[in-house]
Amino acid sequence: MQASSGMLTKFESKSSRAKGIAFHPKRPWILVSLHSSTIQLWDYRMGTLIDRFEEHDGPVRGVDFHKTQPLFVSGGDDYKIKVWSYQTRRCLFTLNGHLDYVRTVFFHHELPWIVSASDDQTIRIWNWQNRSLLCTMTGHNHYAMCAQFHPKEDLVVSASLDQSVRVWDISGLRKKHSAPTSMSFEDQVARANANQTDMFGNTDAVVKFVLEGHDRGVNWVAFHPTMPLIVSAGDDRLIKLWRMSETKAWEVDTCRGHFQNAGGCLFHPHQDLILSAGEDKTIRVWDLNKRTAVHTFKRENDRFWVIAAHPEINLFAAGHDNGVMVFKLERERPASAVYQNSLFYITKDKCVKSYDFQKGVESPTLLSLKKLGSPWVPPRTVSYNPAERSVLVTSPAEGGTYELVNLPRDGSGAIEPTESKRGQGNSAIFVARNRFAVLNTSTQTVDIKDLTNNTTRSFKPPVGTSDIYFGGTGNLLIITPTAVHLYDIQQKKTTAELAVNGVKYVVWSNDGLYAALLSKHNVTIVTKTLEQVSTLHETIRIKSATWDDAGVLLYSTLNHVKYTLLNGDNGIVRTLDQTVYLVRVKGRNVYCLDRAAKPRILQIDPTEYRFKLSLVKRNYEEMLNIIQNSSLVGQSIISYLQKKGYPEIALQFVQDPATRFELAIECGNLEVAVDVAKQLDRPKLWTRLSAEALAHGNHSIVEMCYQKLKNFDKLSFLYLTTGDNAKLARMAKIAEHRGDFTSRFQNALYLGEVEDRIQMFKEIDLYPLAFATAKAHGLEEECQSILEATGLTEDQLNLPTFGQPLTPPKPVVPTHEANWPTKATSQSVFEMALLGQVEGLSLEDEPAAAKADGEEDGAAREGALAEDEDEDGTGWDMGDDIVPEVEEGFVNVESADAGGAGSSEADLWARNSPLAVDHVAGGSFETAMQLLNRQVGAVNFAPLKPRFLEIYQASKTYLPASAGLPPLVNYVRRTIEESDPRKVLPIIPRDLEYLASNDLQRGYDAMKANKLEDGLQIFRSILHSVLINAVGSDSEVNEARKLISSASEYTVAMSIELARRALGAPNTVNADPALQKRSLELSAYFTIPKIEVPHRQLALLNAMKLALTSKNYNSALSFANRILANGGAAKILENVSFSPPITLINKHHQARRTKAQCERNPNDAVEIEFDQFAEFEICAASHTPIYSGTAHEECAFDGSKYHSKYKGTVCVVCGVCEVGKHGSGLKLFA
Amino acid sequence: MDPYSAEGELINIHNHFHQGQFPEVIDFDTSSLSPENALPARVLQLRARIALGQADDVLADIQGETDAHPELAAVAALAELALGRADEAAEKVEKLVQSDAAGENATVQVLGGTVLQAAGKSEEALALLGKHQGSLDAVALIVQIHLQQNRNDLAVKEVAAARRWAQDSLLVNLAESWVGLRLGGEKYQQAFYVFEELAQAPATSSVRTLVSQAVAELHLGRTEEAQAALEQALKKEPEHADAIANLLVLNAITGKDITELTSSLQKTDAEHPLLTDLAEKSDLFDKAATKYKAKVAAA
């Protein structure tokens, strides 16, 4: 039997004895009724007490939430049933009637009914809407301890201390109380009469079955949610399982184990399990089908009284002497591992599956792990090894076990692992591709094991190690309750340590530079050397995390997906309606596993965190992109930006003018501030703006502000300081106009207008001041007039002595005309980008880069093709090109010749293979030559030397081994998977595929570009390379043949044309009739070899032109006809459909014109040996025709034709074989 | 206790040496070592210097001490070998192992074995090394000699035996990987793992391990990865002959031009087996080719 492992306590409360428990169906709430008369409402997720309800007198034994209404019901030892509203937080009403303690109360799942069981031996059904008693069920002859409605049918089950369990049929009651639809008179009569009781006073509810079997009183009874099963718990310490049919009910089996009274029992809502709680301080879990114990959970001191299950989620609650505990039977976190685009996870039925992120497809079951651990214990972790395609699964069963199994290449149904390696251990993870680490917590050892499950090394981890995680190559992260250690496996020591409490999970970033350490309420981000980067706290439990490719950590709590940047900035991405475990984030998709271990995709809006990330990284392009392409507006982002010191960026988002103004001021963007201020036109704003503008030195704005504010004094002073006397004068006028003398005085003072001042003093009867002013400035006349006006003489005045009269300074520079040098505004790169001022800022870069590699390859190839068409005939200025398709896919060569061991692998190659190439690679040049001589009559090996050495050089590698000794030589194979020394074969450089896709194309290019010498060399080298080569199948042998003959034809064709050119310059040739004849012949022969059509067109055009210039109209006509026939305009057009083939059109045009011209005069001026109607081939040596039917010789390798007289010479095409020597034929495939 | 074992003092310097991190060996702080380990550490440092081409300095360094310490005499022989005087070196070693005491000395065995093997006296080398008492260096050397003699079967046995008593030690892993690269098939992958782990961890990475990784990748047919590893190695040490040689092989395999690499290898190490072998084969070709000729000479 399993000990307490597997049970996970989620919440515990401390209180007096808990007698009744009820889960809220939707919210994370639990009602607990206590022996102390209190009813508590807890949020078990947050661990907070939401409310207390205290109206009962004495212990409260039963509580229940209503499924949909904000109601709950309670029943207690005060004989009362109370119905409460938890919204208004009060008791709505009380149902009185029971004559003794009320033991349990339950709502009906759909009808407005409550069923109660009481010590008065009755079970009663109440209607809580009209608050009436509907029915009293009598029959038990001792306390009725528990009564519950059937979840679907019209049944009630009850348990009593009379040792019986009763099932009651209440269909009559339902009939009576359901709303009458259309009732006949008879029905109405029947209904009226139905209230007539039978002799026991019962009609509405009748006893259907009486289940007897318990030897003592029965405390609890419950229906199975779907099956016709009943479970009961009694003082006889037994849990009994009963089954019922339509007509009878019987005892199925008994679960024995409790050694004290069993107080509560129930069926697991989703699994085939029974849970029971007893006064022996245990909660026991039983297998419903086998009736065997699965788990036992023991509490030290508290007797259990009651147990309840959450209707939806995998949660249970049990009430005991000192409170309540909410627990889970098992972890719901599905074990999973991510590798590149695949998620590997273990389903609820213990099958390994994979999920492809790109395709969004779940694989079929890859592997079944049914046999791992015990049936009710799900695996805890899975670690994936991509190199070996194996998984390492741990299970907490049997004190911790691990199992290493290989995944099949393709899953097809549940496959039992063919071979697996297992052992004891609490954590097991891959640390290298061929090593894994196993932690055994009980012995506190970590073993490093190889793939055959042998321990290769073993060490003691730091004290108290609870878990291990991958720590980067060669390292482990060792988790202890208070710290995380980075442990170097090789050196067997801790290289770094970080004090973090209670780390439960470690999530590495995709680039392996950072790791997130998740504990219950904290996320700590560390570098790969275990230096703390940031940490954050969550009040809600943290469940999982995954890294964005950009280095943002997304984590999930019970009800949110959140993000955090490396600098610790975090926020909510979205809310969750159920707990999920994040495994991957890609763009807008978050991939996760739900608690049923089903992969799900959540849509998120990554804008916010991407924006913040680019802000941190100062990636303005990205920010600009985000701003332009998304609706990222919101107070939070604005305040974030402002807080982080990016007001200028925040400014871009804000619509609200007031905020805009604030931000504009903050970042010194006066233009915006002025705009907004004008818009709002509030004095307060102008004041702030003026101050800010003044600080910037932007006095024109300051002026405007003062004007708006009608702040004349300041305005005047501003004009003074800027030296704007004209405006100052106007200010004086305005002051005069306003009758503001102080202001007038000030302006006059600023302006140095003494008369004006005197005038003003006079106006306001301040003659003494006027006099003094005049006197001070030496204006005697004015003094006199003042004296006259006042009727005083100078003697009567007692004047102070005047100093120099004040004269305001004259402006030297008219600074008012332009602003002062202003403080640089913080116009950021970002802003400039936004204004389109930054060059080279192209947002189109990204999509291009995002293009898949494969596509690019394709595009490149297409591009190359297109280019071919464009550059078409650069050398010839005519013709176009067809790129022949390349056969792809090589199969490994297999060879089964016998061989021995003991000699070097190179020797084996020669023994293993009849192919010359393998002998060459093995360094056995002599035998290779023998083979070639026999196969194709090779005699002249000198041209093959580069090929021989090339192959030989590619065959061996040099592995540095012990210092001081030469490197170890190893032999490179093309049979990579093969280890049987009798089957290994060497690698061959430049295989057929390579030749066809590289050398051949180069040859074509040379032809097109009219570089015939190069072309000749290339095609010869192709011939040599194919001659010493190997292929993988018979069909490839044919490919090789085609390549040989093609290369051979090109070689002949090119040498003919080269021979023609060797005759001399056109002038000299045309001057000599013999040469001219030969030239024309050669140009005609050039059109004979079977080269690709576009190249042949080049040859034909060449021949046509020459014929035309030599007035050989008949020949020209035949070439023209061939061009037209060959071309098949449609066919060529097809090849070049996307680029208008100008040269092609020209060519055809030219041919047609020539044709028309020649048809008028179809005669040849120079007779040549070229019969356009005869069938013939060209002798490769003499470049003369070999008419069909005449005797000739061939090269056994390349198939070039020769006149008989050349027999025995070296073939001029391949330069290797003897003409006319017939061998066994080239062998390329064994 | 074996000083080279995982708990021993010399584990790190020893590992550095076999991972090809010669500068780390030379810079290793030996002052804190216990007296009995001082000499082995010094020998390792001397060997590292020889490997870095400072054989002359080493000879000068140990002059006069060779009589007292057979280990240093063996180092002297090794230095002679490195200076190209293989025969003299072999003679020295043979004289040295005449005395029983020296023959029982692990360092003498290993260095002597190296010298003898390099001088072409494989049987003598094996005989000397066979006397070892649980020295992994000797085991690794024996494995290498077996492989050079193409006795893969004996090499496999040797590694399997060592695996039983030395578990997961670096040298056993290396020796096993050497054998693995010879055997092929699945063993390529395993060898690759070992080299890759060494080459990619900053603590153990060196040109030698990078080259080894590249060689394994080459055998696995992963030419692009091999190329990357070799380029990484050459970036660290542009004159590393084995890296150049293997890059040359790689280019030959992928059909690229190899003339430039051939000349650069010629420059760095004209005696590299690849070149000597190639020259030999070139002569062989010429000789073999003369046996054939066309019946009729070309016109």
Side-chain angles (χ1 to χ4, degrees), chain A residues 548-840:
Chain A
D548 182 42
D549 285 333
V552 177
L553 182 76
L554 266 78
Y555 61 97
S556 72
T557 65
L558 280 174
N559 45 15
H560 284 118
V561 176
K562 298 187 163 192
Y563 70 86
T564 176
L565 307 184
L566 285 178
N567 64 7
D569 285 342
N570 55 10
I572 294 175
V573 177
R574 60 166 283 161
T575 54
L576 291 172
D577 46 4
Q578 58 166 297
T579 305
V580 293
Y581 303 92
L582 308 184
V583 290
R584 184 74 185 280
V585 53
K586 191 117 190 133
R588 298 183 153 265
N589 292 339
V590 170
Y591 299 88
C592 55
L593 285 169
D594 63 14
R595 287 192 151 158
K598 277 268 167 214
R600 301 206 319 168
I601 301 176
L602 300 176
Q603 296 294 322
I604 56 158
D605 185 354
T607 314
E608 184 180 323
Y609 69 75
R610 288 232 185 112
F611 183 79
K612 291 186 180 176
L613 185 71
S614 36
L615 196 64
V616 172
K617 291 187 172 170
R618 305 202 170 274
N619 184 347
Y620 297 109
E621 292 167 40
E622 172 78 17
M623 279 159 66
L624 184 61
N625 199 2
I626 292 171
I627 293 167
Q628 288 173 343
N629 297 320
S630 64
S631 51
L632 186 77
V633 188
Q635 210 51 51
S636 71
I637 197 85
I638 292 161
S639 58
Y640 176 84
L641 287 167
Q642 215 172 343
K643 198 172 71 194
K644 291 284 163 182
Y646 303 99
E648 75 273 18
I649 296 164
L651 193 59
Q652 310 300 329
F653 297 102
V654 185
Q655 305 300 323
D656 171 48
T659 323
R660 256 179 97 75
F661 181 80
E662 288 298 319
L663 289 169
I665 290 292
E666 199 168 319
C667 62
N669 191 336
L670 294 179
E671 281 169 51
V672 175
V674 168
D675 283 350
V676 182
K678 277 183 183 159
Q679 202 181 329
L680 292 172
D681 198 17
R682 279 192 216 125
K684 222 173 143 190
L685 299 189
W686 289 117
T687 315
R688 283 202 54 192
L689 181 57
S690 64
E692 185 68 23
L694 197 60
H696 281 261
N698 194 331
H699 62 71
S700 56
I701 289 178
V702 178
E703 176 190 352
M704 184 178 66
C705 294
Y706 289 161
Q707 285 171 349
K708 290 274 179 196
L709 288 166
K710 302 202 188 312
N711 199 333
F712 298 104
D713 294 349
K714 287 190 173 177
L715 207 49
S716 298
F717 188 73
L718 181 71
Y719 290 140
L720 174 72
T721 49
T722 55
D724 195 346
N725 281 349
K727 283 194 174 156
L728 209 47
R730 209 176 305 146
M731 284 308 291
K733 279 264 164 45
I734 292 169
E736 195 179 339
H737 189 70
R738 287 189 299 141
D740 182 337
F741 294 101
T742 320
S743 178
R744 252 182 90 182
F745 174 77
Q746 215 168 10
N747 284 314
L749 199 62
Y750 291 164
L751 282 165
E753 301 272 354
V754 183
E755 288 86 353
D756 207 22
R757 256 183 287 161
I758 297 166
Q759 186 59 34
M760 190 193 80
F761 284 137
K762 285 201 281 193
E763 275 173 40
I764 53 174
D765 288 337
L766 285 174
Y767 285 97
L769 280 177
F771 179 81
T773 310
K775 189 83 185 163
H777 287 84
L779 298 172
E780 285 304 325
E781 277 177 40
E782 193 63 49
C783 293
Q784 288 309 316
S785 70
I786 293 168
L787 287 175
E788 274 166 35
T790 51
L792 290 171
T793 59
E794 213 173 337
D795 311 332
Q796 290 169 285
L797 298 175
N798 188 12
L799 282 173
T801 51
F802 298 107
Q804 278 292 310
L806 174 79
T807 47
K810 290 273 180 256
V812 181
V813 181
T815 51
H816 59 89
E817 280 168 14
N819 268 333
W820 293 323
T822 51
K823 188 169 126 188
T825 56
S826 59
Q827 192 181 40
S828 60
V829 182
F830 171 72
E831 220 171 331
M832 293 200 288
L834 206 61
L835 297 170
Q837 289 171 352
V838 176
E839 276 182 42

Side-chain angles (χ1 to χ4, degrees), chain B residues 48-56:
Chain B
R49 286 169 62 187
I50 293 173
L52 288 175
Q54 306 167 358
D56 278 323

Side-chain angles (χ1 to χ4, degrees), chain A residues 385-388 431-435 448 450-451 455-458 473-474 488 490-493 528 902-905 907 922-926 929-931 933 938-946 948-950 952-973 975-980 984 987-990 994 1206-1210 1218 1221, chain B residues 6-7 12 15 17 22 47 51 78 81 114 117-118 140-141 144-145 147-151 163 167-170 173 177-178 181-186 188-190 192-197 201 203 208 211-212 215 218-222 240 242 245-246 248-249 252-256 258 262 272-274 277-278 281-286 288-289 291-299:
Chain A
N385 181 342
E388 295 290 329
V431 290
R433 294 198 232 178
N434 57 348
R435 292 283 186 274
I448 307 293
D450 64 12
L451 296 177
T455 303
T456 58
R457 57 176 57 214
S458 177
T473 313
D488 188 311
Q490 197 68 34
Q491 300 179 35
K492 290 195 184 182
K493 68 175 189 204
K528 64 177 181 178
S903 45
S904 107
E905 187 167 327
D907 299 340
S924 181
F925 292 176
E926 286 173 21
M929 288 177 184
Q930 268 171 24
L931 281 171
N933 184 262
V939 288
N940 182 27
F941 286 99
L944 292 179
K945 190 171 176 184
F948 266 59
L949 295 182
E950 172 184 76
Y952 183 71
Q953 275 177 306
S955 68
K956 293 188 287 188
T957 59
Y958 298 90
L959 177 70
S962 302
L965 283 181
L968 273 171
V969 172
N970 286 305
Y971 302 90
V972 192
R973 300 172 185 165
T975 49
I976 290 169
E977 315 250 307
E978 191 57 70
S979 57
D980 182 347
V984 295
I987 193 157
I988 306 301
R990 294 210 284 156
Y994 182 90
Y1206 291 103
K1207 185 176 161 94
T1209 59
V1210 173
E1218 188 179 309
K1221 183 165 180 175
Chain B
E7 285 77 22
N12 282 331
N15 280 354
F17 182 79
F22 300 125
R47 286 174 72 186
L78 188 69
L81 173 72
T114 308
Q117 168 67 11
L141 210 54
Q144 180 168 3
I145 294 172
L147 287 177
Q148 270 174 346
Q149 291 179 316
N150 291 315
R151 292 306 304 269
R163 170 66 74 197
Q167 290 199 344
D168 209 20
S169 109
L170 173 72
N173 280 341
S177 308
W178 298 339
L181 278 186
R182 187 59 74 75
L183 295 179
E186 288 175 7
Y188 281 150
Q189 185 67 16
Q190 289 173 18
F192 166 70
Y193 289 153
V194 171
F195 292 134
E196 193 222 17
E197 197 178 328
R208 282 167 78 87
V211 171
S212 304
V215 167
L218 222 153
H219 282 278
L220 282 163
R222 305 185 198 142
H240 196 275
D242 283 338
N246 284 307
L248 191 153
V249 172
I253 288 173
T254 50
K256 289 185 204 138
I258 50 174
T262 313
H272 195 276
L274 188 149
D277 192 27
L278 194 67
K281 286 295 172 188
S282 174
D283 292 346
L284 173 68
F285 182 94
D286 294 341
K291 288 187 195 160
Y292 303 89
K293 62 172 177 268
K295 276 192 205 123
V296 182

